[in-house]
Structures are given as structure tokens and as C-alpha cells.
Amino acid sequence: MSTDKSDSTPLRSSAVINEAVQSLREGGLVAFPTETVYGLGADARNPEAIKKIYAAKGRPSNHPLIVHLAAPDKYDVAKIDWAALLSPWVRDLSEDALLLVNTFWPGPLTLVFKKDKSVLNELTGGQDTVAIRAPAHPIAQELLRKFKGGVVAPSANRFGKVSPTSAADVRNEFEGMLDLMVLDGGDCDVGIESTIIDVSSGDKAILLRPGVITPSEILAKTGIKVYQPGEVHKHEAEALPKVSGSLLAHYAPTTPLRLYSPGRVLDALSEFPDIKSRVAVAVFDSETSLVLEDHPSIDVEEVIVSSNSSAFASRLYRSLRDLDQQGWDLILFPEPPAGEEWDGVRDRLQRACFGSGPSSSNHDSN
């Protein structure tokens, strides 16, 4: 098989999709675009294929994966019967869970259910829950429809590192992995991973990972209140399932990354007196230009980032990857403003800061 099915133009040809489907059926790995980030896909019913994902990423085997499902072609059905599509995977599908599915799928919302007994322990990290989503990207949907099954697909990068939002990112991550097929769907629109909601208890929806779909949007569109883990009883919080992206160190560049408070760039720089050379400082487009004459010994370059939360999210990983490859000694990002529309990027930046630096691989166990 050709080692790479991507070039500068996104590919949608049936022949390429069919080849990717065949690769999945044979137990191979296929990287494909979703609206959030690129995923590293394998047949969710094949334990050996799932093990290949963990090996390729260097991911701990107790860290669960998300199953990706396709909606039937919209021309085939007037209303999608998600309950039937979920039945091979899920036990106890509540009315609230089905309402969330019907409202937000396909889209960047992952739901955690009690798993059907047939679901492999290899993909759940040994837990009795399974995380499922239906990605909205047309290439992901076509691949999943033709595959006619579930595909596990964590982000297509080495474990703990910055997630990929282009096919080129995936190729850079897995250079030398000759049997990996990469489907190029252009740049990802959303840019950060899906929101994860736990509905496995049946009576409360609990936010496990923030994303672009916020609790306020869920409440407005469905009437369902989404609880923060801190809002539930201690015994409920202790029973919450582990999910992707929940480790303290994640999404991390090799260059040290720090956040600065509004107007406090100089304070952030002075905390790192050992760094005297090159610093990249991200600045909101709504802010005035920085004045850094007080630090003549530091070579500072401003990088303008959007003050719109959605636009910021869509470019976050692209910016971190690009800056990481430019040889800076330190990257400074502004602390995201208050407000839950910023919670997704705040979560990613805090974990990225914790894991960043040349020894970031040492943080992966946290």
C-alpha cells in the first residue's frame, strides 16, 4: 500500500477512502481528519489493531479511547435512529443521553456511557464505560459509513504532545511509520478536542473535558443541566470514568510554555532570569502592542492571536506547533479571559504548560 495518501490538496476520492477502509479491515492504522483534530484510527472490534495505536502513540494502555461512529447518509433516512446505532456499544441509553445525541451529533461532543459487554476492554482502559462520538467532518463520515463499524481514533500524535490539525502534522509525528495511511482533509475547523460529557450514571450529565460545546449551549438547546465534577457528591466524583485528555500534562510543546496575566508580560519574563535570548509572546489582537524596552537583553517577537474564543481555539495547536519548531527559548501565551466559552482552550493551555519543556516526556505519567 502507498505510505501516504496526502499532498497539498485535500482528497475525497472514493478510491482513496475505499483503500483506507480496506486497511482498517485488515487491522491497519489510518489517520483521518475530524472537525476537531486529526485522529489515528483503528477497528474498534480488533484488539490487535487497538494495541498498535497504543504502541504508535506511546500511550498508557489504561488510558481509554473514543469510538467514532457514522450517521447514515442523510439521503437514506428522514431521522437518524441513533439508538439503533448505539445499541451494539451501549447499555442503558437514557432519554437525556439520546436528546444530547439527537441535538449535537454529528459534532464535537463525546458522550460516556455504560458499555455493552461486547465492547473490548482494550479500548476502555478496563473500565465499564465507553466514550463515543460521531465526527462531523465529511471525510470522517464517509470513511466510517463505508467501514460500517466503530473506529477508535485518539489524536494522531505522540502521547502528551501537541495535537495535529493538518495532515502534515500527522506525517511529522509519525515519520518513518511506513504503513500508516494518512487521509488529507485540510486544516481542522474546531482545532481542539471534543467536549466530553459523562452520562453513564443515567441521572446527571457531568462535564469531564471542556470543548467548544459549552454547558450553557447544552442547557439552552436541550434543557439539560451539565454539572462540573466539583458540583457532585464526593462518592459520585470518585466514580467518574477516566477519559482522554484528562492527565495533568498533555498537548505539550517541547519549548517551555507559560501563561501571563493581562498586562503582566514583564513580570512573566522576570520570572525566568536564566532565559536571556529568544522569547515568543502571543498577544491578543485586541491588545495594544507590548513595550519591552526594559528587557533589551531579550529578543522578543510578538505573535498576534485572536480575541475570539472560537478563532483562538481553531489556531491554538497550529500556533504551538509552529512556535515549537522555530527554536524559541520560551513561549508566553496570555491567560484566556473568564467565561466558559474559553474553558476549552484554558484547559488545553494549562495542561500544555505543565507538560512543556525539553523533558516533557517525563511528565507523561502525571
Side-chain angles (χ1 to χ4, degrees):
M1 187 204 316
S2 171
T3 61
D4 188 3
K5 289 294 176 186
S6 57
D7 54 27
S8 58
T9 55
L11 284 169
R12 286 294 309 281
S13 83
S14 287
V16 172
I17 299 285
N18 290 342
E19 190 176 339
V21 167
Q22 192 58 36
S23 180
L24 289 171
R25 286 181 180 149
E26 292 170 358
L29 302 186
V30 174
F32 63 93
T34 77
E35 72 278 23
T36 58
V37 299
Y38 273 70
L40 185 64
D43 181 355
R45 297 291 192 191
N46 184 333
E48 294 308 312
I50 292 168
K51 285 174 187 170
K52 287 182 187 175
I53 283 186
Y54 284 106
K57 284 179 63 73
R59 182 184 177 107
S61 59
N62 64 350
H63 207 54
L65 303 172
I66 295 172
V67 177
H68 293 64
L69 299 177
D73 192 297
K74 60 179 176 289
Y75 302 112
D76 294 343
V77 287
K79 188 174 189 300
I80 297 167
D81 185 359
W82 285 111
L85 288 166
L86 285 166
S87 63
W89 304 93
V90 170
R91 201 177 77 220
D92 307 329
L93 180 62
S94 69
E95 285 184 22
D96 278 0
L98 196 53
L99 179 55
L100 289 171
V101 164
N102 282 319
T103 305
F104 292 104
W105 283 11
L109 180 70
T110 295
L111 297 176
V112 177
F113 305 91
K114 286 290 185 207
K115 76 178 185 74
D116 182 82
K117 62 181 184 297
S118 67
V119 176
L120 295 172
N121 283 329
E122 284 85 354
L123 73 86
T124 66
Q127 302 182 110
D128 66 350
T129 52
V130 61
I132 302 179
R133 93 174 183 100
H137 196 289
I139 291 180
Q141 280 290 319
E142 189 178 350
L143 175 70
L144 291 164
R145 269 201 295 271
K146 289 188 171 178
F147 181 66
K148 293 181 167 48
V151 171
V152 286
S155 56
N157 55 282
R158 305 290 180 180
F159 185 68
K161 299 302 182 184
V162 181
S163 302
T165 53
S166 72
D169 293 342
V170 179
R171 292 198 297 276
N172 290 338
E173 284 286 315
F174 297 105
E175 203 174 6
M177 193 170 163
L178 298 179
D179 57 348
L180 175 64
M181 187 171 179
V182 181
L183 296 177
D184 188 349
D187 293 340
C188 300
D189 291 336
V190 173
I192 61 171
E193 295 78 3
S194 58
T195 304
I196 301 182
I197 305 286
D198 177 32
V199 292
S200 63
S201 71
D203 61 345
K204 276 194 182 84
I206 301 170
L207 181 70
L208 300 186
R209 181 175 74 185
V212 295
I213 294 176
T214 63
S216 293
E217 184 183 354
I218 290 171
L219 183 64
K221 290 183 176 175
T222 66
I224 295 169
K225 175 174 169 53
V226 176
Y227 293 84
Q228 301 286 337
E231 293 179 294
V232 299
H233 294 302
K234 186 170 181 237
H235 71 275
E236 289 177 294
E238 287 170 349
L240 290 175
K242 282 192 299 188
V243 292
S244 297
S246 57
L247 297 186
L248 211 48
H250 223 75
Y251 321 110
T254 306
T255 309
L257 170 70
R258 300 290 181 269
L259 301 183
Y260 66 86
S261 305
R264 306 294 291 271
V265 177
L266 290 175
D267 291 353
L269 288 171
S270 65
E271 286 177 27
F272 301 94
D274 53 322
I275 294 172
K276 295 296 184 192
S277 43
R278 305 183 68 243
V279 182
V281 181
V283 184
F284 282 124
D285 54 15
S286 55
E287 301 287 322
T288 53
S289 186
L290 300 171
V291 181
L292 294 166
E293 286 84 357
D294 292 352
H295 273 269
S297 60
I298 297 179
D299 172 16
V300 175
E301 181 171 313
E302 291 182 21
V303 180
I304 305 301
V305 292
S306 178
S307 51
N308 173 279
S309 60
S310 297
F312 186 102
S314 74
R315 295 290 301 168
L316 174 59
Y317 293 149
R318 171 82 282 121
S319 300
L320 288 179
R321 277 184 173 269
D322 289 348
L323 291 169
D324 206 17
Q325 291 164 7
Q326 290 168 12
W328 300 100
D329 297 304
L330 176 67
I331 302 168
L332 292 176
F333 257 72
E335 288 180 358
E340 67 173 33
E341 71 274 16
W342 286 95
D343 284 352
V345 292
R346 184 182 299 105
D347 170 79
R348 306 312 189 272
L349 276 170
Q350 288 172 343
R351 294 177 197 277
C353 285
F354 190 85
S356 69
S359 60
S360 57
S361 58
N362 299 336
H363 296 291
D364 286 351
S365 60
N366 285 286

